[in-house]
Structure formats: structure tokens, C-alpha cells
Amino acid sequence: MKTTENRAGRGARKSPKRAEIVREYGPFPGTPRVHGVTYDGQNVWFARTEKLAAIDPASGEVVRELDVAAHAGTAFDGEHLWQLVEDRIQKVDPKTGRVVGSIPAPAQGRDSGLTWAEGTLWVGEYRARKIHQIDAKTGAILRTIASDRFVTGVSWVDGELWHGAQEGEESEIRRVDPASGEVLDRLEMPEGVAVTGLEGDRKDLFFCGGGTSGKVRAVRRPTARAQR
């Protein structure tokens, strides 16, 4: 597929809704920072620099840990975990923690969020304010859209592309058009509350990394049914 780049930010002036934080998990011992977050249909996985950990969203307890470097975004494709580590994206067997594959990260170590979508990966590039769609087999960039804010976590849920957006002490969760980057929805987080990883639970919640707070937060996700 031909690489394209689209300028985003259109619609960013649309009035945001206040994000509804419904639960906080942690802080977790030995977790100075939460990076990427994903959901495997049962547990919430989060990157804690030197390990990947999974929590039961009902109890909030850590139920799994994998000795895998976990420096930024995390994703789940239905079978494997994908994890940003320096300038690579590693494919990890969640049963054993074994790295079974690796592809180059598009921003060569300046990457942030990560999500799986219909056979491809979407990868945030934090300071460049971009999101790249890449081929999960080769790492080739298929499409690039740009934001007017720093890009943190990225999520693809129910056919919608969402990402964490940050500027100074202000953070949002945004729904954007995956073709044009136009901002379609904005959820405004409380001042000082960061979003450093993002994934939907396929129901009505986002799980969000909380950066240096060492927390994971559950935020109410607007669904098509709720918006009717």
C-alpha cells in the first residue's frame, strides 16, 4: 500500500466532554511508570519498563508477570502481545513470555502508543505528533496521520481509532478519522492526569496508563449506542 500522510487537527476545537474515570488500579509496587496498556478479553496488560504485567480488572490484583522489556506501547492481536522496546516492536507469546518475532518500529525509538487493528498495527510517534499504520509482518509504513498534540496511547475498538493527546498538563482521549485524522470526539481528562497507554475493553471502558502515577485507570468510553 502506498504511504500517505494526512494532516490532522481539524475538529480539534470541538468542545470536549469531561472524561468519566470510573476506577483506578494501583499504584503498583515496583512500577515507577506505566507505559503501554492493552486488554486480552480477560486481563488488562500494562508495560512497566522491565516487565509486562496483567491485572484482573474485577479485583485489581496483578495475576501475571512476564520478564519482557516493555518501554512504550502494548497491543494484543487475539493470540500474541506486541510490545514496543527501544526501536523494535516485539511479538510475545503471553503463555511463556517468549519473544517469537520482531519488526522495526516506525519512529526508530521515538514511538509511543500501539494497537492492533485488522491485521495491521497503529503506532504513535509522541513528539512528532503522528500516528502510523504499519504492516505487522514487515513494519512498512502504510499510512501516516498527524495530530496537533503529542500522541500517547493508541486504541482501535469497534472500528474506531482513538488516541491519547497531551499538551503541557492537559490530556485528552480523542477519536479521530483513521483516513484524514479529523478529530471526531474529545474526552478531557482532569488537569495533571496523563494518558500514557490506551485500550478499549470492547464494551464501554477504556483502560489508560497513568504515567508516573504508577496507576491504570478505567474511563467510560462513548459507544455508538450511547451516542444515539
Side-chain angles (χ1 to χ4, degrees), residues 12 14 43 49 63 135-136 148 174 195 205 221:
K14 180 179 179 179
N43 296 319
T49 307
V63 294
D135 186 310
D148 62 352
R174 292 181 168 188
V195 177
L205 292 178
R221 178 174 68 88

Side-chain angles (χ1 to χ4, degrees), residues 35-219:
H35 305 289
V37 175
T38 195
Y39 180 67
D40 67 6
Q42 181 176 356
N43 296 319
V44 179
W45 290 85
F46 66 97
R48 54 197 298 183
T49 307
E50 299 303 326
K51 292 185 178 183
L52 266 170
I55 57 174
D56 178 340
S59 69
E61 298 296 321
V62 174
V63 294
R64 293 280 312 282
E65 279 191 332
L66 301 178
D67 288 322
V68 176
H71 299 159
T74 311
F76 181 67
D77 66 7
E79 182 178 0
H80 294 95
L81 294 164
W82 296 78
Q83 180 59 56
L84 276 162
V85 181
E86 297 179 347
D87 61 351
R88 308 290 296 176
I89 303 174
Q90 294 187 337
K91 186 177 182 179
V92 180
D93 183 339
K95 298 182 180 69
T96 64
R98 188 168 66 92
V99 176
V100 297
S102 177
I103 58 174
Q108 302 175 328
R110 300 181 299 276
D111 312 86
S112 50
L114 183 67
T115 194
W116 174 268
E118 301 172 352
T120 65
L121 292 162
W122 292 81
V123 191
E125 185 174 354
Y126 177 70
R127 292 197 176 278
R129 305 172 187 236
K130 295 178 180 179
I131 302 173
H132 306 284
Q133 183 187 23
I134 68 170
D135 186 310
K137 293 182 179 179
T138 66
I141 297 175
L142 307 175
R143 177 186 309 169
T144 295
I145 59 176
S147 176
D148 62 352
R149 298 291 172 94
F150 293 131
V151 174
T152 58
V154 184
S155 176
W156 181 277
V157 58
D158 289 345
E160 298 175 345
L161 179 62
W162 294 79
H163 76 89
Q166 181 180 333
E167 193 73 30
E169 293 298 308
E170 297 180 355
S171 291
E172 297 179 347
I173 301 171
R174 292 181 168 188
R175 179 168 68 94
V176 298
D177 185 312
S180 69
E182 180 180 359
V183 179
L184 305 174
D185 252 323
R186 298 167 59 198
L187 303 179
E188 187 177 60
M189 300 294 282
E191 186 174 352
V193 175
V195 177
T196 56
L198 181 69
E199 190 59 278
D201 70 349
R202 308 303 188 267
K203 294 179 183 178
D204 63 352
L205 292 178
F206 283 121
F207 295 108
C208 308
T212 55
S213 71
K215 296 180 178 181
V216 175
R217 297 181 174 95
V219 173

